[in-house]
Amino acid sequence: MPSNLVFGALLVMAGSTPAQPTSGTQAASDVSIVSLQGTVEIFREGKRPGVRTSLTGETLRAGDGLLVGTNSRVILRWTDQSVVSLGPLTEIEIRPVQAPSGLFLLRGILSFLHRDEPGRIRIITRGGTAGVRGTEFVMEIETVNNVERTKLFLIDGEVEYTNQVGRLVLTNDQSTTLEAGQAPLPSGVGFIANNVLQWAFYYPAVLDLRDLPLTATEEQSIATSLAAYRDGDLLRALAAYPTGRQPVSDAERIYWAGLLLSVGQVQPAEAALAALPAGEPSQQLRRLATALRQLIAAVKLQPSPATVEPRLPTELLAASYYVQSRALGDDSLKAALRLARQAAADSPEFGLAWTRVAELEFSFGRTRRALEALQKGLGLSPSNAQALALQGYLLAARNETRKALDSFEQALAIDSGLGNAWLGRGLCRLRKGDREGGREDLLVAAALEPQRALLRSYLGKAYANAGQSQRAFQELQRARQLDPADPTAWLYSALINREENRINPAASDLEKSIELNDNRAVYRSSLLLDQDRAVRSSSLAGIYRSANMNEVAAREAGRAVSDDYANYSSHLFLSESYNALRDPTRFNLRYETPWFSEWLLANLLSPVGGTPLSQQISQQEYSRLFEKDRLGLVSQTEYRSDGQVREVASQFGRYHNSAYAIDVDYQHNNGVRPNNELDRLELYTTFKQQLTPQDSVLLLAKLQQYHSGDNFQYYQPSSFRTNFYYNEYQSPGALFVGYHRDWTPGVHTLLLGGRLANDQREGDQNVTNYLVVRDPSGAVNQLAGAGVPWDVKYRSEFEIWGGELNQILQSERHTLVFGARYQSGTFDSSDQLQLSAGSLA
């Protein structure tokens, strides 16, 4: 829904490290209530009257029944892979545990999101039985002229519907309507999923009570409901509205319609608005009614009914959501923010408007402004579930794990039907290593808002992380169908294909993601779109590298850096591309400087957890949301029959705001010709600390020992030198301290200082060529002696101290990088030439 789609941008930047939420282990035979808006009545073992409750966490067992209250809706977790959504006045009965288990739909409407094993669950009605096969469908029981009809709308997958008369198999976008005793037949007319799922959609509140001309009597009669609405708790406001009360004025009727939308009751809300007398309401009331209709149009992706410029805060807020839903170029999100700011400025006590401003500011990555607006919003409407969920993402971005989780839990306690809160909590659980629990929460989020492509993409990625590739691709395919212009599903599909070594499909999917990138401007600013493009280009570089197309990979990674210089993923992929071009013996240092410079830039620019720090671990995923605090060890040993040995190992870890990696790279080579042996040992220790959400420091130390014969590359292999040797020592050789300040998206300050010490020793006991040396006075002495063997020894020691300051200024169209560098050091070299009879300096 428009209010929630903003979080597609939020999540890429949030990088949360949330804690594990408390949840019990659900028995295989139990069905639990995980989301409840309003009330339900539970009939234990079918006994009536039942027990009415408005609390989540209740468990239903075989023989229990459930009736959803008026203006209510509920989500049941059937298994860890199946979720059932029930609409108002829906009644079900849990059938005894069998193979498969069953749910009897007595009346009402349900939506089933089933990702469990085929045939494990069945839905029973008086007209027949639906066998579920990894399916998503809507089923409704309606009575017309005392005749009960069953309607089944298949959205995705396959359902086998049978009764005593016949059998029907439905696939994607098919439907059927049948009566008891009739054979099931496919309906001749298709359906629009948005129409059958309207009761499950989320509608944000936009009504500013200051725009409503309620009378003093009306305000007194519904005072409790109005107070809850001002606090931001829409469900409590609906529950507090006097039972059986009919709105006594047009203003109250508009308020009632707004409350109905909060639980997805679109048809009753539209009916209430339609009851307004034509031509009689004041112009202001007509404007308010049109604003609510515009909100409905935004959610349904329909043309706007508004014909005049918005003027009232309610109109401005509704227009903000509508503009965002249109996705008409890069200015959509900016226009949405401008309208929200105007609503908050015109009505400073309108807490919902301030929360909307905070959402949009955060989507641009301006966390400070977002936090300021959110504090105002929560101060005015402390029970606004959307605001609390947004606070969770902001806290998660600051690595305040426990506080973030508390915010998500508070949001769910107020409105358990809020998809953003389930999404945030699910990502938290994934980050903590609870793959099953996190995936369950993402499944609930997708069931709550079944038409949100982004939720399907995240669910697909969660399945991929659990090794369930088939289900992952199913969700990603569904995401593509829901929003063909969204590149996220193509991106995740490419990453999964790459992980499974399907290089060609991976490259194809990622190229499609890059092609679609600008189409998602409604959820991103232009600057963040550039970051998206950079991530996709850098990922493409990794895919090319997997195909051993190293030079192409380097060019693609270079393009990613050009698209967004401040994107750490781009620099990391460029570093890895240069790494693939480095000489394995480290004798030819042609690519050492660009590799190390890009590696340093990537780790300086990234937040803790954004890059792996270790050189032995490949690039992490598109976002940090699927990573968790952990310790790890990676080791790889290669041994060849010609005596070559290579050992690379990394011990790494991350905890909250700290991360480190210790990398070891050892290589022994007996050589392929005389005097071609090699022994090399490199040790890197890297540590990163996030001081504040904007400030981080990086520490790096390197130790190296290198012993080699003649590893020069010759046009004529016979030209090698049999007595040449080369030794190099760095103990420690490099010590660096880096600092990064992220002022705002696109504005970064980088400071790097360090020391480099190196000791090189080389020599040859059989030099027969002319040699030219320069003595301390500056005179040049040419030592003749062609054909006479010389014993040459050379040693060079140097120590360099340096510092560098870089300022990155990046706008939507331009990037400027300013730098200043200071360097000083000492250099000492000595030359010694020896003949068999003595020495000559």
Side-chain angles (χ1 to χ4, degrees), residues 107-155:
R107 57 173 164 146
I109 186 170
L110 64 78
S111 172
F112 208 135
L113 184 58
H114 176 264
R115 294 296 182 257
D116 218 322
E117 297 300 324
R120 185 174 176 180
I121 297 174
R122 60 183 179 178
I123 307 296
I124 307 166
T125 68
R126 294 183 182 92
T129 301
V132 183
R133 301 178 180 176
T135 307
E136 184 177 347
F137 64 92
V138 177
M139 182 177 283
E140 183 178 13
I141 303 293
E142 66 175 6
T143 301
V144 180
N145 297 327
N146 295 322
V147 177
E148 183 180 284
R149 294 177 179 173
T150 301
K151 292 183 177 181
L152 194 154
F153 309 91
L154 187 62
I155 299 172

Side-chain angles (χ1 to χ4, degrees), residues 80 146 222 366 397 419 491 578-579 586 602 629 669:
D80 62 349
N146 295 322
I222 59 174
R366 297 189 284 259
L491 171 64
Y578 283 131
N579 186 47
R586 304 297 188 262
D629 290 349
N669 189 350

